[in-house]
Amino acid sequence: MFDAARHPLKICIDGSCIVLRSLDDAIGFVRSHPVGEHAEMLVDQMEAARLPELQRRAWVAFETFADAMRLSPDAQRRMM
């Protein structure tokens, strides 16, 4: 699966931070967190991404979702 380690995504929730380095990490995060209720179609897209370009696009979609949900430190800073 797509290796996002070249640009991992730091996610912070309730004062705790984790780093997601792959689509598998992102899928696991979304499924285990309450924000997953709002992301069924996103998870479907990430799971179905087989080709490198689709995996890259799925990662960008997850980054956008994390930003919109204010899960990334950058998104949190922009809201202050």
Side-chain angles (χ1 to χ4, degrees):
M1 190 158 270
F2 174 73
D3 179 18
R6 289 168 286 183
H7 49 90
L9 183 61
K10 185 175 184 181
I11 301 289
C12 297
I13 299 172
D14 299 330
S16 178
C17 295
I18 60 171
V19 176
L20 304 176
R21 299 184 188 283
S22 69
L23 282 177
D24 287 335
D25 289 349
I27 291 166
F29 168 77
V30 172
R31 287 188 174 204
S32 68
H33 195 275
V35 298
E37 294 178 26
H38 310 288
E40 289 177 27
M41 290 174 55
L42 174 61
V43 171
D44 289 346
Q45 176 190 1
M46 292 189 297
E47 289 178 333
R50 299 282 181 243
L51 300 174
E53 178 60 17
L54 295 177
Q55 292 171 354
R56 186 192 66 76
R57 289 179 184 193
W59 183 257
V60 170
F62 175 72
E63 287 177 319
T64 302
F65 173 78
D67 196 48
M69 298 298 288
R70 298 185 188 116
L71 301 175
S72 66
D74 291 341
Q76 291 173 5
R77 278 193 287 278
R78 285 193 297 272
M79 296 308 295
M80 294 180 168

